[in-house]
């Protein structure tokens, strides 16, 4: 089941969810976003090679995406995970995931620039 039904009015990151998850601590929010940006890029690089553990990597990305409020990205990771576990063709799902990671990375970059140094 999708995490969030309406994409048109949403940012790639649910900032209310992120704020709740980081206890409204700007320094913790910044740290979490920086870690996620690094992790999501690393996981995506690994997934593009479709290693044997690709479904587990997609699962990991799904969980960390949900944790920060990147629900569309989490849904894309979940779709890829499901397809990989069913041994289907992952190309379209991986393309969607690449797009969602890019959108989240852009949003994170904007959020980090606005928050300035801690």
């Amino acid at each position: 089941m999708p995490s969030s039904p309406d994409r048109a009015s949403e940012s790639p990151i649910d900032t209310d969810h992120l704020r709740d998850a980081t206890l409204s601590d700007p320094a913790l929010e910044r740290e979490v976003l920086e870690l996620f940006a690094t992790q999501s890029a690393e996981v995506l690089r690994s997934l593009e090679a479709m290693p044997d553990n690709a479904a587990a990597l997609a699962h990991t990305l799904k969980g960390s995406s949900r944790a920060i409020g990147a629900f569309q990205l989490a849904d894309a990771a979940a779709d890829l995970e499901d397809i990989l576990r069913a041994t289907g063709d992952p190309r379209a799902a991986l393309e969607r995931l690449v797009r969602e990671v890019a959108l989240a990375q852009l949003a994170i970059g904007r959020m980090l620039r606005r928050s300035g140094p801690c």
Side-chain angles (χ1 to χ4, degrees):
M1 170 176 251
S3 299
S4 181
D6 181 17
R7 174 84 192 230
S9 63
E10 294 181 12
S11 166
I13 308 289
D14 180 333
T15 55
D16 291 334
H17 178 87
L18 178 63
R19 195 172 307 110
D20 289 345
T22 58
L23 308 172
S24 298
D25 180 338
L28 181 57
E29 182 176 310
R30 182 176 190 79
E31 182 179 353
V32 165
L33 288 173
E34 288 171 345
L35 287 170
F36 180 81
T38 300
Q39 180 210 30
S40 62
E42 290 172 358
V43 169
L44 188 59
R45 273 192 298 278
S46 295
L47 281 170
E48 288 175 330
M50 279 298 142
D52 291 341
N53 68 337
L57 290 170
H59 180 82
T60 297
L61 186 55
K62 173 181 70 176
S64 60
S65 298
R66 285 184 179 150
I68 69 155
F71 296 119
Q72 295 297 324
L73 175 49
D75 291 346
D79 288 347
L80 179 60
E81 178 186 9
D82 291 345
I83 288 167
L84 290 168
R85 293 200 190 283
T87 64
D89 184 352
R91 287 179 289 192
L94 182 59
E95 288 174 13
R96 176 180 171 212
L97 185 64
V98 167
R99 285 190 304 273
E100 294 298 339
V101 167
L103 290 171
Q105 294 279 354
L106 286 171
I108 289 169
R110 285 190 304 268
M111 293 167 75
L112 292 174
R113 282 190 297 279
R114 273 196 308 264
S115 69
C118 291

